[in-house]
Structures are given as structure tokens and as C-alpha cells.
């Protein structure tokens, strides 16, 4: 009838005018249920079984066809459980803006500017490993260099050559509400990739908002065989006269039944030469149920200092994208 037709017409007008034709939205939900056991769970150790979730929205709009305005919105469990913290899940039930970036071409290069954005947003890494935990295995052991996080206003630029070689650089700065000047950092990155191998190098200099400067070097690479891919990483950091280093080694098997297997070992952080290195081991199997849902069971063992029990965790992560 005419009343229904009128309501439908008004709804169509609202739908057409309320959302830009060049704007897209992506949504994802991750859940993890798992158990963790070891001295690091609490002050006296013990077991902990928990459930965590995170919800993410990505909004992207283009104005010229070559640029992109991107906004990330995140939420998650009220607080992170021990297993959720190991998985790096977002926390806070309120939906919050987790980053705003604008990328655009500048001559033959690509430029990214934004706030709460990774300093390494324009960096190119050489890592084929898919980490199960948010520990050292993430970013192939170079999370402080190749995956350096942003602290405030960030600008980064990259240039890719046809030969497979690329260069990038970025700066980030955060202002303190009390002191005014905050910490500033800048970084450089070079990478090369071929058909079955790649290597990347990154350098970060961070003044940490004080007279002490922190210098970080990171290198990672991969080599792909017929049945597997080997990824390695090495990172050093220097503060004053103190040098530390850490490493990562991982194997990825992309076709194991209907899914893929990832196995890795890495130092839990960077260590001085005089310190005893502690390692973390992990193994996971990722199975895509369909185009929008992936289930990943996994296990990890993290060594503890002294006579403390090692930390052992087993979990099942389910990821939805829509």
C-alpha cells in the first residue's frame, strides 16, 4: 500500500545518503578459552581457566581513489585474564578509538600520518610465521623494531622499488599533559623480498622522554621450502652502556590437512650477556571452518626464573570476520 511504499522510499533515501559509497567497514570478533598453570599465574602460582573476547571495527574511506582514511575501534573483556594477556587481547568493555590514520601517495612514495599509530606502520617485514601468543614469537622476535608501536602523533613514509627492495622511515611524538615535552622516536627500515625468501632490517632511536636514549636494531627473514617456511629474527637494544639481545626461530607448514601448523621457540625478551636466557615455546594448528571463521587450538610453555615452575598454557582461539 501507499504507506508501506512511502516508508520504504524514506528508508532507501536514508541508506543511500547516510553512508559514503567509498566507505567500507570490517568487523571481527576473537574469543579464547584456555587454562594456564605455573608460578607466574599468581604470587603463589596455581591454575587459572578463563574466557576472553575482543571486538574490533575498521572503517576505511577514500576521497580520491588513491588515499585512505582509516579508523580503528576496539573493545574487549573488562580485564584481561592470564590467558587473555598472553594472547594480547584488547580490554575495556567500552568501544574506544584505537587509531586514526590517513594514507596518501606523495610523488612515487606512500605517506601515512595519524594518531595512536604504530611507528612501524609503513615498515615492511620479512616474516611468514603466524604467532599464537602475543609474546616474542609475534613479529618474528622483532616486535620492538620491525613492529615498533606508536606513542602519539606519527608520520611515516615508504617507497617500494620494482626490484623487490623497499625503504621506509617514520617519526612519532607524544606530549605530556604535565611536562609538555614527551618522548620522541624515529625509525628506519629496509627490506628485500624475492620469490621464496626475504630479509628486513629496522633501526629505532627512542629518547624515552629523558636524557637516556634507547637504540634498537632488528632483523628478520624467511625462506620458503616446498612443504614449509622457516622464519628467523634477531633484535638488540642498547640503553647507555647496557646491551641486550633476543632471538626467534619458527616453522610454518601451510598445508597440514585442512589447516596450517606453526611451531616456534624464542627468548621471552632481550637479555644481557651475563643473564640466563629464558625461552618460550609454542605450537598451534589453525583451521578455517569457512571464509569468515577460523579455529586455532594451541599450547605454549614459558620458562621462569630460578626454581619457579614454568608457565604452561593451552587455549582455543576462535576468530570471526564479517
Amino acid at each position: 500500500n501507499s504507506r508501506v511504499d512511502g516508508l520504504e522510499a524514506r528508508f532507501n533515501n536514508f541508506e543511500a545518503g547516510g553512508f559514503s559509497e567509498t566507505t567500507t567497514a570490517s568487523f571481527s570478533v576473537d574469543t579464547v578459552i584456555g587454562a594456564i598453570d605455573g608460578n607466574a599465574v599468581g604470587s603463589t602460582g596455581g591454575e587459572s581457566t578463563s574466557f576472553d573476547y575482543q571486538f574490533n571495527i575498521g572503517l576505511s574511506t577514500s576521497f580520491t581513489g588513491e588515499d585512505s582514511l582509516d579508523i580503528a575501534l576496539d573493545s574487549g573483556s573488562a580485564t584481561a585474564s592470564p590467558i587473555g594477556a598472553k594472547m594480547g587481547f584488547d580490554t575495556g568493555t567500552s568501544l574506544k578509538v584505537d587509531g586514526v590514520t590517513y594514507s596518501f601517495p606523495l610523488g612515487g612514495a606512500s605517506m601515512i600520518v595519524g594518531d595512536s599509530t604504530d611507528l612501524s606502520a609503513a615498515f615492511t617485514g620479512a616474516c611468514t610465521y603466524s604467532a599464537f601468543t602475543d609474546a616474542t614469537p609475534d613479529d618474528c622476535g622483532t616486535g620492538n623494531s620491525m613492529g615498533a608501536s606508536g606513542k602519539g602523533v606519527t608520520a611515516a613514509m615508504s617507497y617500494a622499488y620494482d626490484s623487490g627492495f623497499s625503504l621506509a622511515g617514520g617519526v612519532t611524538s607524544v606530549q605530556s599533559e604535565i611536562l609538555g615535552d614527551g618522548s620522541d622516536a624515529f625509525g628506519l627500515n629496509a627490506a628485500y623480498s624475492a620469490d621464496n625468501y626475504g630479509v628486513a632490517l629496522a633501526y629505532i632511536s627512542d629518547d624515552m622522554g629523558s636524557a637516556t636514549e634507547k637504540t634498537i636494531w632488528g632483523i628478520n627473514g624467511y625462506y620458503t621450502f616446498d612443504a614449509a617456511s622457516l622464519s628467523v629474527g634477531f633484535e638488540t637494544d642498547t640503553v647507555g652502556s647496557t646491551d641486550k639481545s633476543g632471538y626467534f626461530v619458527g616453522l610454518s607448514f601451510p598445508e597440514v590437512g585442512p589447516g596450517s601448523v606453526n611451531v616456534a621457540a624464542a627468548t621471552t625478551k632481550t637479555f644481557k650477556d651475563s643473564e640466563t636466557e629464558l625461552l618460550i615455546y609454542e605450537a598451534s594448528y589453525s583451521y578455517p571452518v569457512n571464509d569468515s571463521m577460523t579455529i586455532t587450538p594451541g599450547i605454549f610453555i614459558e620458562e621462569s626464573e630460578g626454581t619457579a615452575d614454568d608457565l604452561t598454557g593451552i587455549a582455543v582461539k576462535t576468530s570471526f570476520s564479517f
Side-chain angles (χ1 to χ4, degrees), residues 183-315:
S183 58
D184 303 306
F186 75 90
L188 299 171
N189 164 245
Y192 177 79
S193 62
D195 291 338
N196 61 340
Y197 70 92
V199 63
L201 176 70
Y203 166 80
I204 303 292
S205 177
D206 189 346
D207 67 11
M208 301 191 295
S210 65
T212 303
E213 183 175 314
K214 186 174 187 177
T215 301
I216 305 171
W217 286 93
I219 182 170
N220 61 25
Y222 70 89
Y223 188 90
T224 301
F225 303 91
D226 291 338
S229 179
L230 172 67
S231 296
V232 296
F234 182 76
E235 192 171 73
T236 67
D237 64 70
T238 302
V239 179
S241 60
T242 302
D243 297 326
K244 297 181 179 181
S245 63
Y247 59 86
F248 158 91
V249 179
L251 275 173
S252 301
F253 301 87
E255 296 182 4
V256 179
S260 59
V261 169
N262 287 278
V263 182
T267 52
T268 57
K269 59 180 182 178
T270 55
F271 293 89
K272 294 185 290 185
D273 292 339
S274 59
E275 295 178 317
T276 300
E277 293 180 343
L278 302 177
L279 300 178
I280 180 171
Y281 309 89
E282 68 171 36
S284 63
Y285 181 76
S286 185
Y287 168 62
V289 178
N290 50 50
D291 291 341
S292 301
M293 179 180 177
T294 301
I295 297 177
T296 307
I299 185 172
F300 65 88
I301 300 173
E302 182 177 334
E303 295 179 341
S304 299
E305 293 181 333
T307 59
D309 294 334
D310 292 344
L311 190 66
T312 302
I314 184 169

Side-chain angles (χ1 to χ4, degrees), residues 64 74 86 94 165 181 205 248 300 315 318:
T64 66
D74 300 332
K86 284 297 178 184
S94 300
F165 183 72
D181 291 334
S205 177
F248 158 91
F300 65 88
T318 304

Side-chain angles (χ1 to χ4, degrees), residues 30-151:
D30 298 310
T31 66
V32 62
I33 183 169
I36 197 167
D37 182 28
N39 206 71
V41 174
S43 58
T44 59
E47 298 181 1
S48 173
T49 301
S50 56
F51 172 84
D52 293 81
Y53 78 90
Q54 63 180 5
F55 173 60
N56 308 103
I57 301 175
L59 300 175
S60 181
T61 300
S62 178
F63 304 98
T64 66
E66 296 181 334
D67 63 345
S68 181
L69 174 64
D70 300 286
I71 302 172
L73 305 170
D74 300 332
S75 70
S77 303
T79 57
S81 69
I83 204 74
K86 284 297 178 184
M87 304 297 288
F89 271 32
D90 294 314
T91 58
T93 55
S94 300
L95 197 65
K96 60 183 181 296
V97 177
D98 191 39
V100 179
T101 61
Y102 180 60
S103 57
F104 54 94
L106 186 64
S110 298
M111 188 78 186
I112 299 176
V113 295
D115 194 12
S116 299
T117 304
D118 285 349
L119 169 61
S120 58
F123 286 10
T124 299
C127 176
T128 59
Y129 182 80
S130 180
F132 182 64
T133 64
D134 191 42
T136 310
D138 200 22
D139 289 308
C140 282
T142 55
N144 298 312
S145 52
M146 219 73 68
S149 298
K151 301 174 181 177

